[in-house]
Amino acid sequence: IENESHKHRHHAPMQGVTSTETHFRIKVVSSQFDGQRLLQRQRGIFNLFKHEMAMEGGIHAMALTTRTPGEEDKAK
């Protein structure tokens, strides 16, 4: 998990937001992704954070990388 919020503070939607944790880059490697399409994987991760994303001043954006262990090995 990488907090990239500092890169987005100047964006218009962030004006007036006091939270310093709004934008994240997240990489998840799991065998549970076997047989799932990219959209299914991402929806599952977003579902885990739905409360934080709905909160005023909460998470505004997440850049996701979702891979199986085999896909991660190939990417290296």
Side-chain angles (χ1 to χ4, degrees):
I1 299 173
E2 183 179 347
N3 187 343
E4 296 186 331
S5 302
H6 64 283
K7 297 178 182 179
H8 302 274
R9 287 201 180 114
H10 65 282
H11 294 171
M14 297 295 96
Q15 300 307 305
V17 175
T18 58
S19 175
T20 59
E21 298 184 344
T22 57
H23 291 72
F24 295 89
R25 181 167 300 279
I26 301 172
K27 180 178 176 179
V28 181
V29 179
S30 174
S31 60
Q32 290 186 10
F33 293 144
D34 283 330
Q36 289 187 354
R37 294 180 183 202
L38 179 61
L39 188 57
Q40 291 173 296
R41 297 173 185 190
Q42 291 182 342
R43 282 181 178 160
I45 300 300
F46 281 125
N47 191 46
L48 294 173
F49 291 95
K50 66 182 175 187
H51 176 72
E52 290 82 359
M53 293 186 82
M55 291 174 44
E56 177 80 23
I59 297 173
H60 180 75
M62 289 190 296
L64 299 177
T65 300
T66 54
R67 296 180 179 147
T68 65
E71 291 167 341
E72 180 67 9
D73 289 343
K74 287 179 185 177
K76 289 182 180 178

